[in-house]
Amino acid sequence: MEFLDVGQNIWLAAASVVIALAAGFTGLTLSQDLSKQGVAQRKRSVAASAIALGGGIWSMHFVAMLGMQMPILFYYDAAMTLASALLAILIVGTALLLLHFRDRTPVTVSAAGAMVGCGILAMHYLGMAGLQLCKPVYTPLGVALSAVSAIVLCIGAFWAAYGKRNNRSILLGTLCFAFAVCAVHFIATANTQFVAVQALDEFGPVISNETLALGVIVSSFVIFGGFLWMGVTFFAPTKPATAAAAPAAVPSANPVIAAAPRPLHIPCERHGVTHMIDPVQVAFVRAEGHYTKVYTNDAQHFCAWPITEAVKRLSGAGFIRTHRSYLVNPAQVKGFERSKDQGLCRFAAGHLPPVPVSRSNLKAVRGTLGV
């Protein structure tokens, strides 16, 4: 078996690194502050972020591959090349759904990072499988090093990006993500040899480097468009203008009306419509990741408040914390059941599930309920 001499265009290698940086920044910025968005908008933002990150992985790989120089002509299988892009976007999107629609725990963040690392690996080796007229020959050491690099570096990237979710963490996560993508590609290719083959083994139509370059240019154009879009607002102040800059309030002719507090309502979304629900109608509130579910006697509603915000706002309305994930309206409780050092609050509406009472909250709950 005679291996081919392989070189690398340094300028295209550098361009691939820049693309990875732009994709990482765009994708991680698109997924910032999603807790302030409704469900539909969060889904759109996660999809756009997945396209930016997954598309960036694909674009980085093939820009670097365009710079690969061999003494023979070689082509790409169009179907497998496209499939590698879709696979990267799908896996990254699944990881982002895990982060933004589930409890964000250390295990969740690590699992999402590991998934993205596996997505980079899958994209790389599927893309390499699409080579025509030359065949990659892998070494166990190269595969092992690229796998470990992908998973470890992506876990580090997501820990950096999802630490405090501020501008500094986004920039640090961008650097870590780009380093992970580039390290996996260059470690894998440095430990890969290539041999010439005489026959095509295409799964779909065959495309040349020139045709592939057009596709990469389009994808890179989209990524850099997103990069510029995110970049122009990245350092914009997020806090409203100070009170000193605001126009002076006009005093009300009726001081009683001016001093009257606004009634408390819970903003909830259902079927794309925001409803302002009176707390009196609520049986309990349950934490759902960084958001909450509000249960009334006739429906469940999504609320953008995290459980900490719900506690702060509803404690004045008489709600009590029964568990780290639950907030209960005592007026709706129709029964209390104690089991050793824990308990359950039951409601008159039979379809409502019982709410657990943790040991640390048992005394306070029993005192409020008078049981």
Side-chain angles (χ1 to χ4, degrees):
M1 184 181 296
E2 183 179 353
F3 294 127
L4 300 171
D5 294 327
V6 180
Q8 178 71 53
N9 184 304
I10 190 64
W11 295 110
L12 286 175
S16 70
V17 174
V18 174
I19 289 173
L21 287 167
F25 175 82
T26 304
L28 294 176
T29 307
L30 278 167
S31 62
Q32 191 177 19
D33 295 331
L34 295 194
S35 60
K36 300 176 183 177
Q37 302 176 1
V39 175
Q41 181 59 39
R42 277 189 291 134
K43 289 180 179 178
R44 288 191 290 268
S45 297
V46 166
S49 180
I51 292 172
L53 294 174
I57 295 169
W58 183 87
S59 298
M60 178 273 149
H61 171 87
F62 280 104
V63 167
M65 289 299 293
L66 287 172
M68 184 173 288
Q69 300 166 340
M70 287 190 276
I72 63 169
L73 287 175
F74 59 96
Y75 302 94
Y76 296 89
D77 184 287
M80 298 190 74
T81 300
L82 177 60
S84 65
L86 298 178
L87 182 63
I89 293 171
L90 176 63
I91 295 177
V92 172
T94 303
L96 292 175
L97 287 174
L98 186 66
L99 283 170
H100 292 282
F101 288 89
R102 292 290 184 269
D103 291 337
R104 193 176 299 161
T105 64
V107 173
T108 303
V109 175
S110 298
M115 288 178 65
V116 173
C118 293
I120 296 173
L121 283 171
M123 185 272 120
H124 176 88
Y125 286 107
L126 183 58
M128 296 292 279
L131 283 170
Q132 299 294 315
L133 299 184
C134 71
K135 177 183 177 182
V137 179
Y138 306 115
T139 63
L141 178 61
V143 174
L145 285 176
S146 60
V148 171
S149 300
I151 294 172
V152 171
L153 292 175
C154 282
I155 289 175
F158 275 75
W159 270 99
Y162 283 86
K164 296 183 179 180
R165 296 301 282 163
N166 53 26
N167 287 355
R168 182 178 179 181
S169 68
I170 294 295
L171 293 175
L172 182 59
T174 296
L175 293 174
C176 293
F177 173 81
F179 184 70
V181 176
C182 296
V184 170
H185 176 84
F186 290 115
I187 288 173
T189 53
N191 290 276
T192 302
Q193 300 286 350
F194 296 88
V195 295
V197 294
Q198 299 302 317
L200 293 173
D201 186 26
E202 71 270 22
F203 180 75
V206 174
I207 58 175
S208 64
N209 276 343
E210 290 76 11
T211 305
L212 176 65
L214 291 176
V216 171
I217 288 171
V218 172
S219 67
S220 301
F221 180 82
V222 173
I223 290 170
F224 279 105
F227 172 77
L228 294 175
W229 176 35
M230 292 293 100
V232 294
T233 59
F234 184 68
F235 294 104
T238 57
K239 294 182 179 180
T242 59
V250 179
S252 172
N254 188 337
V256 176
I257 296 177
R262 296 178 61 186
L264 174 65
H265 288 92
I266 306 174
C268 297
E269 290 190 13
R270 193 160 185 259
H271 303 309
V273 179
T274 301
H275 302 273
M276 305 304 291
I277 297 181
D278 190 334
V280 174
Q281 302 173 352
V282 176
F284 66 92
V285 178
R286 178 172 67 87
E288 184 81 8
H290 291 270
Y291 319 101
T292 48
K293 283 282 187 67
V294 174
Y295 289 76
T296 60
N297 287 333
D298 56 354
Q300 300 178 25
H301 305 268
F302 169 83
C303 178
W305 290 350
I307 190 67
T308 52
E309 182 69 15
V311 170
K312 182 172 70 174
R313 291 177 178 265
L314 297 177
S315 294
F319 281 63
I320 55 174
R321 189 82 174 262
T322 65
H323 184 275
R324 64 184 180 88
S325 300
Y326 288 90
L327 193 62
V328 166
N329 182 0
Q332 296 275 358
V333 176
K334 299 303 180 183
F336 177 80
E337 178 182 326
R338 180 173 178 179
S339 175
K340 296 183 180 179
D341 56 354
Q342 297 180 341
L344 289 174
C345 290
R346 299 189 181 276
F347 305 92
H351 67 279
L352 289 176
V355 169
V357 180
S358 63
R359 178 173 57 184
S360 59
N361 293 296
L362 183 63
K363 183 176 180 181
V365 171
R366 294 187 66 191
T368 302
L369 298 177
V371 295

